[in-house]
Amino acid sequence: MIPAMPLLGSILCGILHFMTLKARKANADATGPGPLASLVANAAMAVSFGLSCLAIYQLTGMDSAARLLESAPWHWIETGKMSVDVSMVVDPLSSLLLLVITGIGLLIHIYSAGYMKGDPGFAKFFSYLNLFVAAMLMLVMSSSLLGLFIGWEGVGLCSYLLIGFWYHKGWPAEAGQKAFVVNRIGDAFFVIGSFLLIQLFGTLDLSEIGAGVAGLLESGEHSTQLMLAALLLFGGACGKSAQMPLFVWLPDAMAGPTPVSALIHAATMVTSGVYLVVRLNPLFAASPGVLLFIGVVAAATAFIAGTSAMAQRDLKGVLAYSTVSQLGYMFLGLAAGAWSSAIFHLITHAFFKALLFLGAGSVIHGMHEEQDMHKMGGLRRHMPKTFITFLAGALALSGFPLLSGFISKDEILAMNFARGGLHYGLWAVGVATAAITAFYTWRMVALTFFGEERFDKDKVHPHESPFSMTLPLFILAGLALAGGVLGIPPVFHATHILEHWLEPITAPGNAILFGGHPPHLSHAVEWALLGLGTLIFFAFAHLGFRGLARIGLAGSNQGPQFDEQQAAKRPGLYGKLQDAWSIDSTYTSWIVQPLKLFAFVIAVVVDQFAVDGIVNGAAKVARQSAERLRKLSDGGVASYGLWMGAGAILLAALWMAGGAN
């Protein structure tokens, strides 16, 4: 019932959309039943969230080693020696994702009712939104890798529909296509990896695959295949969770309505790759080399995206690159075998990034669709509720001591430090990225809410958003500030709630990777790392807010000028950062354009001139031959007699030649 409710809501909202179109066809001024879509969609999400809470409540009453709720299996496919059964499963891992998806998804739905009010596609938007959530729930609840893949493809389809929702503007449609195509590349790796798992285990059941890894390791015959399968599945995760080199679609996803950005970037699609690795943690633990490779990719992704965020002028653009960077942090946790730490950061990131995106949407709504931070400034006076809640999200993202983002980020960095060796390098990149994060976060706050008002006061009249939009902001602000209680550091002598809750899921991977005993740091080292994180926050937050942006509470207006000065002094570097190190443009130059040229050659030169030329030429020859033969049949007796005589002479000549031989 948990995934069925938003699916039903999607169908009903789709019906309301078609009824609205019919009403408008009869009367252009008619609204139809479209406005009811928000009530239907929100009700479906509320029921799904309530059922998710009930499922977790049931899990808490079970023994920690036996926490599992499973629906009756559906026998789906049977071929040869393999059969596929699909069921819906709630266990410690999926239960956490259920709360994130349905809880934050519900808040985004409530927010959308105010944000999308008056849009011609109001009902269609909520139909897509509900379908997105249903697909994501299918992904995290399925007991089979095949069922997971259906949800995996479902969120890919819905991202295409939602990113390109305002397709009439042109570039959102292109952004949706880009997301769809780039994700297909990752999905190809996912499918090949799944085929390899079928060959190794003879099943796609996730629990059976996880349990069977230890046996294959003992035999020592399939270590290469296990490594290759893990590497291929990580390739799939790179597509969905926007890691190098497939991260280029996520910044463009901001082309969709802001609630879509919040849903994709915070609560659903981008977390699916992290979930996949944690769900199959025994498989990845069996290949330490793959984990180290994941760490290198994650560190590069976090650093490149973080530095790119420093030079963005678009408010949502900063948050988009920030999401890519924070996803890199999650994979850094996975690379260190810190499975629960990665999920911890996934949850805290969902809180503060959903808050920041919805807060950005509130700013854009109040600024009449303006997104350029250089044309904002001083908005805290016009939008106090948005400002207070946005500030809470910024504190969490940038790592204010003891808030959710600080604790979960520090835990990932500490685990990499504890692993030692090459992980010291990953830790160093993570620390540098933390400094960059504090800088661009407070640059964003300064340019948006402080300083002089830089917008055209004759055309733009900033105003606070309606209650339906600010209520979710306050709820998310509370979660962003208090979410750290889920994983209080060991130095405070408190129970790590998430680590204890996820232990049945992470224990097999820990047993393979660490022999059941993950590395730990002394309290002195932990205090030192916490102190370093605190120092980094205050130093680089100050640099971003006052030192570099130079926007003080007194109303100085030097932020945009500083950006312009940097662009003038270092045009090459500044341009590279604005263009995300030119990775996307390089793809366009070296991959996209050559493929388009190749497609043009095939479509025009080969197909139209060669293939069509041969076919049309053969038809032309046949037609002309027939025309000439037709002229021979002119109906004249003399002509027929002439041809008959000529034929008789030819036959006689052939007969004589044959007789002579």
Side-chain angles (χ1 to χ4, degrees):
M1 293 299 294
I2 293 174
M5 295 310 300
L7 180 60
L8 177 61
S10 176
I11 294 171
L12 294 177
C13 289
I15 294 172
L16 291 175
H17 172 65
F18 286 112
M19 293 174 65
T20 301
L21 291 179
K22 187 175 181 181
R24 288 176 181 164
K25 189 175 182 180
N27 182 2
D29 297 328
T31 59
L36 293 175
S38 62
L39 296 177
V40 173
N42 289 342
M45 289 299 303
V47 173
S48 187
F49 176 67
L51 291 172
S52 300
C53 293
L54 177 60
I56 286 191
Y57 175 76
Q58 292 177 350
L59 287 182
T60 57
M62 301 178 181
D63 182 73
S64 60
R67 285 174 176 157
L68 179 68
L69 299 172
E70 186 173 8
S71 66
W74 173 42
H75 187 65
W76 187 10
I77 298 174
E78 185 167 358
T79 173
K81 298 180 180 180
M82 189 189 74
S83 63
V84 177
D85 295 338
V86 177
S87 60
M88 298 291 104
V89 173
V90 179
D91 63 3
L93 176 58
S94 60
S95 63
L96 293 175
L97 272 294
L98 288 184
L99 285 186
V100 171
I101 296 165
T102 59
I104 296 181
L106 174 59
L107 294 175
I108 293 172
H109 276 67
I110 295 171
Y111 177 96
S112 300
Y115 189 88
M116 298 296 293
K117 185 177 181 180
D119 191 282
F122 187 83
K124 180 174 68 173
F125 178 79
F126 278 97
S127 177
Y128 292 165
L129 219 57
N130 263 193
L131 184 61
F132 201 132
V133 173
M136 190 66 193
L137 291 172
M138 176 72 179
L139 190 156
V140 301
M141 294 180 67
S142 177
S143 64
S144 166
L145 196 60
L146 183 57
L148 186 153
F149 183 67
I150 292 174
W152 188 277
E153 292 298 294
V155 295
L157 169 64
C158 292
S159 68
Y160 165 75
L161 296 173
L162 286 168
I163 295 170
F165 185 77
W166 287 328
Y167 59 87
H168 55 275
K169 295 182 179 180
W171 72 285
E174 296 175 0
Q177 293 171 0
K178 184 176 182 178
F180 194 82
V181 171
V182 173
N183 273 276
R184 296 291 74 73
I185 298 172
D187 295 349
F189 288 105
F190 185 107
V191 171
I192 298 171
S194 300
F195 290 159
L196 188 54
L197 291 179
I198 293 173
Q199 182 184 24
L200 289 172
F201 300 99
T203 181
L204 288 174
D205 186 272
L206 291 165
S207 60
E208 293 182 11
I209 292 173
V213 171
L216 289 182
L217 284 178
E218 290 179 1
S219 67
E221 298 177 357
H222 302 285
S223 57
T224 302
Q225 290 94 323
L226 287 173
M227 181 185 68
L228 183 58
L231 194 60
L232 288 168
L233 291 178
F234 173 64
C238 284
K240 281 291 182 289
S241 293
Q243 296 297 287
M244 285 282 294
L246 301 179
F247 75 95
V248 292
W249 68 270
L250 191 56
D252 287 0
M254 65 182 180
T258 299
V260 173
S261 301
L263 194 62
I264 292 177
H265 288 243
T268 55
M269 183 170 169
V270 297
T271 63
S272 54
V274 180
Y275 167 80
L276 175 67
V277 175
V278 176
R279 175 59 74 188
L280 292 175
N281 65 86
L283 175 66
F284 287 87
S287 304
V290 173
L291 286 180
L292 184 59
F293 176 74
I294 291 174
V296 173
V297 171
T301 303
F303 183 79
I304 289 173
T307 51
S308 300
M310 295 168 58
Q312 302 302 311
R313 290 177 52 170
D314 188 295
L315 178 57
K316 288 174 65 177
V318 175
L319 296 176
Y321 282 107
S322 172
T323 297
V324 178
S325 183
Q326 296 302 306
L327 287 166
Y329 267 113
M330 297 175 205
F331 280 94
L332 272 178
L334 297 175
W339 323 109
S340 59
S341 302
I343 295 296
F344 184 23
H345 196 59
L346 183 155
I347 294 172
T348 60
H349 176 263
F351 293 156
F352 60 71
K353 191 52 64 69
L355 169 61
L356 289 170
F357 262 110
L358 296 185
S362 181
V363 170
I364 295 167
H365 182 269
M367 287 288 292
H368 306 286
E369 304 306 314
E370 179 60 67
Q371 297 183 199
D372 188 346
M373 295 185 295
H374 284 191
K375 298 178 181 179
M376 296 181 183
L379 293 183
R380 71 187 190 280
R381 295 183 288 272
H382 301 278
M383 312 176 72
K385 296 178 182 178
T386 299
F387 167 65
I388 292 172
T389 53
F390 196 94
L391 198 63
L395 287 168
L397 168 62
S398 57
F400 186 84
L402 301 184
L403 294 189
S404 59
F406 174 86
I407 296 176
S408 59
K409 173 209 66 180
D410 179 80
E411 188 174 302
I412 289 172
L413 294 177
M415 281 297 296
N416 276 278
F417 193 87
R419 286 292 303 273
L422 295 175
H423 286 269
Y424 281 135
L426 302 181
W427 170 82
V429 175
V431 170
T433 305
I436 292 169
T437 302
F439 172 83
Y440 70 66
T441 300
W442 288 94
R443 169 183 174 270
M444 173 179 62
V445 172
L447 288 173
T448 304
F449 293 101
F450 289 88
E452 296 179 358
E453 298 172 354
R454 299 182 295 276
F455 48 85
D456 188 345
K457 297 179 182 179
D458 295 329
K459 297 180 180 179
V460 179
H461 305 283
H463 57 84
E464 188 59 89
S465 299
F467 178 73
S468 62
M469 294 174 64
T470 56
L471 175 61
L473 295 181
F474 278 102
I475 296 174
L476 287 169
L479 293 172
L481 294 174
V485 300
L486 295 174
I488 299 175
V491 292
F492 292 99
H493 303 287
T495 301
H496 195 298
I497 298 173
L498 273 183
E499 185 176 5
H500 178 71
W501 178 258
L502 289 172
E503 187 175 358
I505 305 297
T506 60
N510 288 338
I512 294 173
L513 189 59
F514 306 115
H517 302 286
H520 292 285
L521 296 170
S522 66
H523 284 352
V525 174
E526 287 193 31
W527 278 116
L529 293 178
L530 289 171
L532 177 62
T534 302
L535 179 63
I536 285 173
F537 166 79
F538 284 109
F540 286 88
H542 172 82
L543 183 62
F545 186 77
R546 285 179 177 272
L548 188 141
R550 291 197 177 98
I551 299 179
L553 298 175
S556 175
N557 188 29
Q558 297 301 314
Q561 285 82 347
F562 184 88
D563 284 350
E564 292 166 3
Q565 291 171 6
Q566 295 304 308
K569 290 180 180 178
R570 305 174 181 87
L573 176 61
Y574 201 81
K576 287 284 185 183
L577 295 182
Q578 281 189 317
D579 194 29
W581 295 67
S582 300
I583 293 173
D584 199 1
S585 57
T586 301
Y587 289 168
T588 301
S589 301
W590 292 93
I591 299 177
V592 177
Q593 293 300 336
L595 283 175
K596 285 185 176 181
L597 178 61
F598 177 72
F600 174 80
V601 171
I602 296 297
V604 177
V605 178
V606 176
D607 187 29
Q608 293 185 13
F609 286 95
V611 177
D612 288 356
I614 293 172
V615 173
N616 295 336
K620 185 177 181 181
V621 169
R623 183 171 62 251
Q624 291 176 348
S625 300
E627 287 288 338
R628 293 180 179 180
L629 288 174
R630 185 180 64 80
K631 292 179 180 179
L632 299 179
S633 303
D634 58 359
V637 176
S639 297
Y640 291 163
L642 178 62
W643 285 110
M644 289 174 65
I649 293 172
L650 178 62
L651 291 173
L654 292 173
W655 177 76
M656 292 174 65
N661 292 336

